[in-house]
């Protein structure tokens, strides 16, 4: 999810050993067989440059597809983007990520929840302008990735300390709260069933099932809606008429400054998600990956840019798939190639896309009530992990102003450009924090 979204580093088995000490691969292909390819020894992991037998690798790859499915498809379902197109660029983006990081970072690039807010807020501008915002965010992330490659990953902490990153992530999630409530209220019974299913599966579901709470909840909500007549008849008709095979819908972007300004703050979230993913994988595999953090940003930036120019939603590294790796102790990038190929194949089924589009507003409301809150809480977690001091008046006041601007959706117009709460809150803290921090040096004790 959001990183979204990256879980705490480490595996249930503690520090890794065994094959984790093998030197890191420097290419995207050419995996060595781990042991006999069938078993993983106690305390061992299957490293990124290794694989199990191909049947087992394909099976684990399918698990990655299941893990990313709910979140990746929920974003286009909420924003109205073509599902199959988003899935296509998700698979292509994953393949690019594996190539650009030279097979050293196992990751699936799914739809980023961070884009939901600007895409929802800019719906009146039309899909082409929305795609322009996605493409612009991708280009900026790509440029930042190049800068990190040249200057080193520590430059990120210098420019965007945790107090800033946490605030932007939190306000992006909380800015969406009214949208989730509106969807919930449109079909309260269906939304309530969906929400209850998500909570029960997340809390009580064992292992991987517990990590698929959103997907299971959406399926339960959809079935309940179908039984109670809550599905839109025109969407059900479109599902019946949809072909089993077809080419995903491709469309190009247009660029409007108001939409771009609304979307660019998402880049901060993407940076946090990508860097967090790199650090988590590094901890779980027992090898430093700081030298390829810039590559990861470049790869996600390129994938998001391509999605924007082709009609898909922006991408990010997925913590859902980190859960699969932690559970299986298999970090082989071969499994991710299987997942990427599967996503591309599914993208060529309009019937599949039409099925996802039948998900009613009540189900979306029940799911987003949790998802948007998770994005907001992620910002809080960033503060907690970094032990941000909120007795410091600079941290306290700047963050407070930024959060209220985002949550209240402060909207002001400059010339012909209208900017909403996400833009003002993000820009405000990015500018105000370093200025206030410098001014605080002149404060007398």
């Amino acid at each position: 999810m959001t990183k979204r979204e990256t879980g705490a580093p480490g595996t249930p088995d503690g520090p890794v050993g065994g094959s984790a000490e093998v030197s890191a691969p420097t290419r995207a292909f050419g995996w060595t067989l781990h042991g006999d390819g069938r078993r993983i020894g106690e305390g061992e992991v299957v490293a990124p440059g290794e694989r199990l037998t191909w049947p087992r690798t394909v099976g684990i790859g399918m698990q990655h597809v299941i893990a990313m499915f709910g979140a990746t498809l929920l974003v286009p379902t909420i924003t109205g983007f073509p599902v199959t197109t988003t899935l296509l660029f998700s698979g292509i983006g994953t393949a690019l990520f594996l190539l650009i990081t030279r097979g050293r970072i196992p990751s699936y690039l799914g739809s980023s929840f961070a884009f939901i807010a600007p895409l929802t807020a800019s719906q009146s501008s039309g899909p082409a302008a929305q795609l322009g915002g996605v493409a612009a965010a991708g280009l900026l992330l790509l440029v930042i990735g190049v800068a990190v490659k040249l200057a080193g990953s520590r430059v990120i902490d210098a420019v965007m300390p945790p107090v800033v990153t946490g605030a932007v992530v939190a306000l992006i999630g909380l800015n969406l709260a009214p949208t989730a409530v509106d969807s919930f209220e449109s079909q309260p019974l269906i939304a309530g069933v969906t929400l209850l299913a998500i909570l029960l599966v997340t809390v009580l579901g064992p292992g991987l099932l517990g990590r698929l709470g959103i997907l299971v909840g959406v399926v339960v909500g959809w079935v309940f809606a179908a039984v109670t007549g809550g599905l839109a008849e025109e969407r059900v008709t479109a599902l019946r008429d949809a072909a089993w095979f077809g080419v995903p819908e491709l469309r190009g972007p247009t660029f409007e400054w108001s939409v771009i300004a609304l979307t660019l703050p998402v880049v901060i979230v993407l940076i946090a998600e990508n860097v967090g993913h790199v650090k988590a994988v590094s901890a779980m595999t027992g090898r430093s990956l700081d030298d390829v953090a810039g590559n990861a940003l470049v790869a996600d930036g390129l994938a998001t840019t391509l999605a924007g120019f082709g009609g898909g939603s922006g991408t990010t590294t997925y913590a859902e798939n980190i859960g699969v790796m932690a559970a299986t102790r298999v970090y082989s990038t071969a499994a991710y190639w299987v997942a990427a190929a599967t996503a591309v194949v599914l993208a060529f089924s309009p019937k599949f896309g039409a099925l996802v589009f039948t998900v009613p507003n009540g189900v979306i409301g029940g799911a987003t009530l949790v998802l948007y809150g998770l994005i907001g809480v992620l910002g809080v977690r960033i503060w907690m992990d970094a032990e941000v001091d909120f007795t410091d008046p600079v941290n306290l006041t700047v963050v407070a102003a930024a959060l209220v601007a985002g949550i209240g959706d402060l909207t002001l117009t400059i010339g012909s450009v209208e900017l909403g709460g996400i833009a003002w809150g993000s820009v405000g803290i990015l500018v105000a924090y370093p200025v206030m921090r410098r001014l605080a040096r002149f404060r007398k004790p």
Side-chain angles (χ1 to χ4, degrees):
M1 316 194 78
T2 37
K3 304 318 220 172
R4 63 94 299 144
E5 291 175 347
T6 302
T11 69
D13 300 308
V16 298
S19 63
E21 302 304 320
V22 177
S23 60
T26 58
R27 58 188 184 278
F29 303 102
W31 304 274
T32 58
L33 195 65
H34 177 89
D36 62 2
R38 293 178 173 81
R39 289 174 290 274
I40 305 173
E42 184 67 27
E44 293 184 349
V45 300
V46 179
E50 299 178 322
R51 65 170 177 84
L52 298 176
T53 60
W54 279 114
R56 288 172 173 78
T57 297
V58 170
I60 293 171
M62 292 303 175
Q63 287 188 69
H64 283 298
V65 172
I66 294 172
M68 69 83 180
F69 231 56
T72 293
L73 300 186
L74 191 60
V75 174
T77 301
I78 293 172
T79 59
F81 273 39
V83 171
T84 53
T85 308
T86 296
L87 194 59
L88 173 65
F89 284 102
S90 173
I92 292 174
T94 299
L96 286 173
F97 188 93
L98 296 172
L99 287 171
I100 293 173
T101 59
R102 304 192 305 278
R104 293 182 59 190
I105 305 177
S107 178
Y108 188 89
L109 292 191
S111 304
S112 173
F113 289 154
F115 282 96
I116 295 177
L119 291 178
T120 301
S122 60
Q123 283 181 339
S124 60
S125 298
Q130 291 176 303
L131 290 173
V134 172
L139 287 171
L140 178 57
L141 182 62
L142 194 157
V143 171
I144 292 174
V146 173
V148 171
K149 280 176 61 66
L150 297 175
S153 59
R154 293 181 181 177
V155 70
I156 295 176
D157 292 332
V159 176
M160 290 186 301
V163 62
V164 172
T165 305
V168 174
V169 173
L171 70 86
I172 285 177
L174 299 178
N175 175 266
L176 289 163
T179 302
V181 171
D182 288 344
S183 296
F184 196 104
E185 291 175 344
S186 66
Q187 294 177 308
L189 181 58
I190 294 174
V193 169
T194 303
L195 176 61
L196 180 62
I198 291 173
L199 295 177
L200 289 177
V201 173
T202 301
V203 173
L204 301 177
L208 180 61
L209 179 63
R211 298 180 183 275
L212 298 178
I214 299 294
L215 175 61
V216 174
V218 168
V219 171
V220 170
W222 186 92
V223 172
F224 182 79
V227 172
T228 58
L231 301 183
E233 186 58 38
E234 65 274 13
R235 295 189 179 186
V236 174
T237 301
L239 172 62
R240 294 195 192 102
D241 296 339
W244 282 101
F245 303 101
V247 178
E249 177 187 352
L250 301 178
R251 62 176 66 164
T254 60
F255 297 94
E256 297 182 13
W257 285 113
S258 58
V259 178
I260 291 174
L262 189 67
T263 310
L264 287 184
V266 167
V267 173
I268 296 175
V269 184
L270 300 182
I271 293 172
E273 291 172 349
N274 276 274
V275 173
H277 183 91
V278 170
K279 291 184 179 299
V281 173
S282 176
M284 289 189 291
T285 58
R287 57 185 60 173
S288 175
L289 296 171
D290 287 350
D291 60 312
V292 286
N295 296 62
L297 295 173
V298 168
D300 191 18
L302 179 59
T304 297
T305 302
L306 289 177
F309 276 96
S313 184
T315 62
T316 190
T317 51
Y318 256 36
E320 290 86 347
N321 297 91
I322 279 193
V324 174
M325 290 190 289
T328 62
R329 291 185 290 157
V330 177
Y331 301 91
S332 172
T333 53
Y336 281 97
W337 278 106
V338 172
T342 303
V344 171
V345 170
L346 287 175
F348 286 86
S349 175
K351 180 76 74 175
F352 175 74
L355 173 63
V356 175
F357 195 57
T358 61
V359 176
N361 284 339
V363 173
I364 292 175
T368 54
L369 204 68
V370 176
L371 288 174
Y372 297 165
L374 287 175
I375 299 173
V377 172
L378 174 62
V380 177
R381 195 182 78 183
I382 291 173
W383 291 331
M384 293 177 63
D385 290 345
E387 299 181 347
V388 174
D389 180 12
F390 279 110
T391 63
D392 183 329
V394 174
N395 292 342
L396 185 64
T397 55
V398 174
V399 167
L403 284 179
V404 172
I407 297 171
D409 197 23
L410 174 65
T411 303
L412 300 174
T413 301
I414 300 178
S416 60
V417 178
E418 183 179 85
L419 300 179
I422 294 176
W424 284 116
S426 301
V427 172
I429 193 168
L430 282 169
V431 174
Y433 180 78
V435 172
M436 293 298 104
R437 181 57 64 197
R438 288 181 180 274
L439 290 177
R441 297 175 182 175
F442 298 101
R443 183 179 57 196
K444 294 182 179 180

